[in-house]
Amino acid sequence: MKTTAQAVIIGGGVVGASVLYHLAKIGWHDVLLIEQSELAAGSTWHAAGGMHTFNGEANISRLQKYTIDLYREIEALSGQSCGLHPNGGLMLAANQGELDSLRLICSRARYLGMETEMISLEQARQLNPLIDSSHFIGALWRADGGHCDPSGTTHAYVKAARQLGASVERFTRVLSLSQRADGSWDVATDQGTLHAEHVVNCAGLWAREVGHMVGIELPVLAMEHHYLITEDLPELRGRDREIVNTTDYAGEIYMRQERGGALIGTYEPHGVVWSPVTTPQDFSMQLLPDDFERLAPYFEIGFQHFPALGRVGIRKAINGPFTFAPDGNPLVGPVRGLRNYWVACAVMAGFSQGGGIGLVLSRWMAHNDPGQDILSMDVARFGGFATPKYTSLKVPENYSRRFRLAYPNEELPAARPVRRSPIYERLRTAGAIMGANFGLEQALWFAPAGVAPTETPTYRRSEAFAFVRAECRAVRAAVGLYETTNYGKYEVSGRGARSWLDRVFACRLPRPGRLALAPMLSAAGRIVGDLSIACLADDRFLIVGSGFAEEFHLRWFWAAAPPADVSVRSACSTLCGVSIAGPQSRALLQRLVRDDLSPAAFKLFQLRQTAVGFAPAILTRAGFTGELGYEIWTTPDYFASLYDDLWEAGRPFGLTHFGGRALSSLRLEKGYGSFNKDFRPDYTAAETGLDRYIDFGKADFTGRAAAIAERAAGAARRFVIMEVAAGDADAIGYESIIKDGAAVGYVTSGAYGHCIDKSLAAGYVPAALARDGERLEIDILGEMRSATVHLSPLYDPQGLRLRG
Ligand SMILES: Cc1cc2nc3c(=O)[nH]c(=O)nc-3n(C[C@H](O)[C@H](O)[C@H](O)COP(=O)(O)OP(=O)(O)OC[C@H]3O[C@@H](n4cnc5c(N)ncnc54)[C@H](O)[C@@H]3O)c2cc1C
């Protein structure tokens, strides 16, 4: 065995094999894959090999397309067949909601350049004559996809990697990992110890255990999964083409041709967790006992929807385990606090995603940048809240919903509530309908007294529409209260804090008593954060950003290596917050604060460290609604008192609660983008418009060279707000934006602007189309809706109310 390597990849399933290939391809030839058994011996060998481009996140869809296209490349390089059956895919809808969902997939695929089409049930039956179309109302066909041979594909990656200089050790088990002072690793195996600069956890079913080797608890769990292979079907005899792989959402069934028969699998509602605590070491090339009694009712649905399958016998049954993260997307990337330790695990669709994961991880390792936005599969989307208990509840929920289409207004119930703010019960009593953000319950909207706090899942406007409208209007007419505890909060302090932050952020740092909007760029000039910095003292700062990005931003700060005289601390659980917004907010707050809040005394982006009622607080004049407004931060022990004081003082002013839905509407009326939706690492400073907050005069900050180059060259595309002639559905996100029949971009967020009575969408269009009044179209649920670009905010374009 080698004694040194630039990188050791632990695990020779399809994911480890892809990472090995991509590292070798990017130029890291001294890489070694260590596999405790035979290649593909974990969950890979018994997979059904299905591959497709479907994912709720556009960037993951793109990587899935890359994976599928890659197979020809590795076949050519290795001479090893991947056993490809590129016969495309069919998705069947049985109700209006599923049909809407397929139409959204179709709209998105247009911009992604994927050949996808809504087709009739008659056409669907020509592609797969086994469908009983009486159960369905619509179908989507896509050209990309099909199935491959799991083992052949894994070996093709490995052989191609070997051609590029990579090595493999089979029947070698990694026993422990210990880090040296320089950040490199001693990798102890049952065949001896080797020294590696980097290690990658691609241990699939054992990813949890390989995480334990470095003291981390990855949110990953395995579920049992069954599929059946039938005897030959007379209906398929004599056909010159294979039937198209078919997904039946209502039946929660997937099926495809397997030689002369069919393969049918189900994601049943009450799935079984496999090895919840420890994965057995000796589990290799093994299957699990069948459980037909439990699964019969679910396969029975399949036999109704594809009746020919019920008329023949079962040739083979497979029950095997594979792993999931709580939201079903993979866990990829570096782990905060662990230099040179990378993960690529919890991959539940290895044959659709393995190639893309290898691509982005190899770039991340070699260039310190995944090269594209992969927030939705970044391991940092989970934080401390994703405990083993949380994972044990969320993974089965995700498994049971694997083939249920997710509605944009749907909140999933498992593992809720986990994190609650001190005013959680008060908000519930006020009618709040809650969602979870980074494990924390947050109000989405409020059902007035006498209205049931529930909402029907839909892609169209729901019964909440009227109540969100009332919330928005109350904010603009008088004053509203929104809880901001769910924002990400960080305290940075120490003698070196100012100069360190000055390098990490692109903006000019505020002086004590002031606040600044603070874009954070990657070295390539892409947006990795859209935060605000409040300067509490020359050596003390409060930074506020998106709650979901807490771990992502903490990892970013950690990677930016704060010097010894700088302390960086998450304040997520030590500070609670509330925003008061609306023309009456000043008068309301003045009743609780001794400081003079008059416009001349307390201006936009100023702050005070003061008392608000009972609560010692940091008070800033800021907000996200475009109205006169304030944010108040205090510690959890005072927070309920602060809320009570505000509520009491607010009564005469008509204080109203508002939730996340109203905030989305209010911010789009003002043209404000939001991190994760509109501002993501896919976009640059000039594209987002956040370049206006960059201090180009600073000598040094991350992303400076790229931002300066972009300023000289001009942005290729621009973030714009569009007014949409919508019907009963507003844009949600990822709908294609069309100009003269060609997709030129996609929507990043959408909402109804209740105070201007217009449907709104935000997105990026080529710079030449970013003109006031430019006429475009947006494909919303299969209908072409005209859209008009507005370069100034549709509400209060001069910002008079904000500054008032
Ligand atoms: C029944 C079934 C059907 C499926 N169908 C599909 C499908 O149609 N399409 C699809 O895309 N996916 C499918 N999957 C999922 C697919 O199998 C997984 O996405 C994929 O196998 C994950 O690969 P992996 O490399 O992450 O993990 P694994 O295949 O589990 O590989 C991990 C490897 O790491 C090795 N290892 C672990 N610990 C150590 C150690 N300490 N030292 C050395 N080596 C170690 C293991 O031996 C193992 O070989 C299916 C799964 C099942 C169970």
Side-chain angles (χ1 to χ4, degrees), residues 29 56 63 98 101 282 306 308 325 362 464 550 582 589 669 738-739 804:
H29 304 296
L63 288 173
E98 289 173 4
S101 169
D282 56 356
F306 306 92
S362 64
E550 182 195 338
L589 209 55
E669 288 180 341
I738 315 282
K739 177 71 181 176

Side-chain angles (χ1 to χ4, degrees), residues 10-16 34-44 46-51 172-175 202-206 210 213 225-227 254 318-322 344-345 347-352:
I10 305 170
V14 67
V15 175
I34 299 183
E35 166 55 50
Q36 65 189 0
S37 175
E38 187 47 270
L39 290 172
S43 59
T44 295
H46 51 58
M51 52 192 198
T172 303
R173 173 169 292 147
V174 174
L175 301 173
C202 295
L205 295 171
W206 295 262
V210 173
M213 289 179 191
H225 179 64
H226 281 68
Y227 67 79
Y254 61 92
I318 301 279
N319 178 19
F322 67 123
C345 57
V347 184
M348 63 123 164
F351 300 94
S352 300

Side-chain angles (χ1 to χ4, degrees), residues 40 48 188 250 314 342 376 378 395 403 502 520 539 696 699 765:
I314 303 300
W342 306 82
S376 41
D378 190 330
V395 166
F403 276 169
D502 210 28
M520 199 158 69
D539 59 354
F696 285 99
V765 296

Side-chain angles (χ1 to χ4, degrees), residues 321-644:
F322 67 123
T323 51
F324 296 77
D327 61 1
N329 277 334
L331 301 173
V332 179
V335 176
R336 175 167 63 102
L338 283 174
R339 280 170 70 194
N340 303 337
Y341 181 89
W342 306 82
V343 300
C345 57
V347 184
M348 63 123 164
F351 300 94
S352 300
Q353 298 177 336
I357 290 169
L359 176 75
V360 293
L361 192 68
S362 64
R363 287 179 182 159
W364 215 338
M365 292 173 69
H367 308 315
N368 211 14
D369 188 336
Q372 67 179 87
D373 165 14
I374 56 143
L375 286 176
S376 41
M377 59 185 198
D378 190 330
V379 61
R381 71 189 183 281
F382 293 104
F385 69 92
T387 57
K389 177 170 182 184
Y390 174 89
T391 304
S392 74
L393 296 171
K394 273 301 191 198
V395 166
E397 178 187 61
N398 183 272
Y399 181 90
S400 72
R401 298 178 49 89
R402 169 83 174 88
F403 276 169
R404 239 175 273 165
L405 294 169
Y407 290 91
N409 65 339
E410 201 176 7
E411 296 297 323
L412 303 183
R416 302 266 310 276
V418 172
R419 295 176 61 209
R420 274 171 282 189
S421 95
I423 62 168
Y424 170 80
E425 292 301 344
R426 285 168 166 80
L427 296 184
R428 293 273 295 181
T429 306
I433 285 78
M434 293 285 184
N437 177 20
F438 213 65
L440 180 70
E441 297 293 315
Q442 63 170 106
L444 300 175
W445 59 279
F446 290 82
V451 172
T454 54
E455 190 181 12
T456 314
T458 177
Y459 281 82
R460 294 167 193 270
R461 291 178 193 154
S462 77
E463 57 268 55
F465 187 82
F467 307 121
V468 172
R469 181 180 183 82
E471 289 172 27
C472 291
R473 292 189 160 209
V475 170
R476 299 242 188 266
V479 56
L481 181 153
Y482 172 77
E483 189 188 6
T484 55
T485 304
N486 62 322
Y487 291 2
K489 293 146 284 175
Y490 317 91
E491 287 168 0
V492 179
S493 57
R495 230 156 38 98
R498 176 171 285 278
S499 61
W500 179 73
L501 285 172
D502 210 28
R503 288 195 304 278
V504 174
F505 285 91
C507 62
R508 174 169 305 156
L509 285 196
R511 289 279 143 211
R514 287 198 61 84
L515 187 104
L517 298 179
M520 199 158 69
L521 306 182
S522 69
R526 297 187 174 271
I527 298 294
V528 291
D530 163 31
L531 303 101
S532 68
I533 302 181
C535 183
L536 306 176
D538 211 32
D539 59 354
R540 210 155 61 84
F541 298 84
L542 171 66
I543 299 176
V544 176
S546 305
F548 101 93
E550 182 195 338
E551 185 62 30
F552 176 84
H553 283 143
L554 284 172
R555 187 182 62 195
W556 194 264
F557 296 145
W558 165 76
D565 60 355
V566 178
S567 145
V568 179
R569 221 168 56 82
S570 164
C572 285
S573 297
T574 53
L575 274 186
C576 294
V578 71
S579 160
I580 303 290
Q584 297 291 352
S585 55
R586 178 182 289 121
L588 185 166
L589 209 55
Q590 192 66 78
R591 296 198 167 188
L592 298 171
V593 173
R594 291 275 172 91
D595 307 55
D596 178 3
L597 299 183
S598 64
F602 192 38
K603 299 198 179 87
L604 186 64
F605 295 148
Q606 287 192 330
L607 72 86
R608 297 270 186 281
Q609 294 173 75
T610 181
V612 181
F614 278 129
I618 298 166
L619 171 66
T620 64
R621 215 189 122 183
F624 206 39
T625 64
E627 293 295 332
L628 170 68
Y630 304 85
E631 285 175 359
I632 311 165
W633 303 101
T634 191
T635 47
D637 47 349
Y638 286 102
F639 193 52
S641 299
L642 171 67
Y643 171 87
D644 291 344

Side-chain angles (χ1 to χ4, degrees), residues 774-790:
E774 179 70 40
R775 303 303 294 266
L776 305 165
E777 287 177 302
I778 299 180
D779 175 352
I780 300 182
L781 305 181
E783 307 262 358
M784 285 300 165
R785 300 288 178 180
S786 69
T788 309
V789 171
H790 289 274

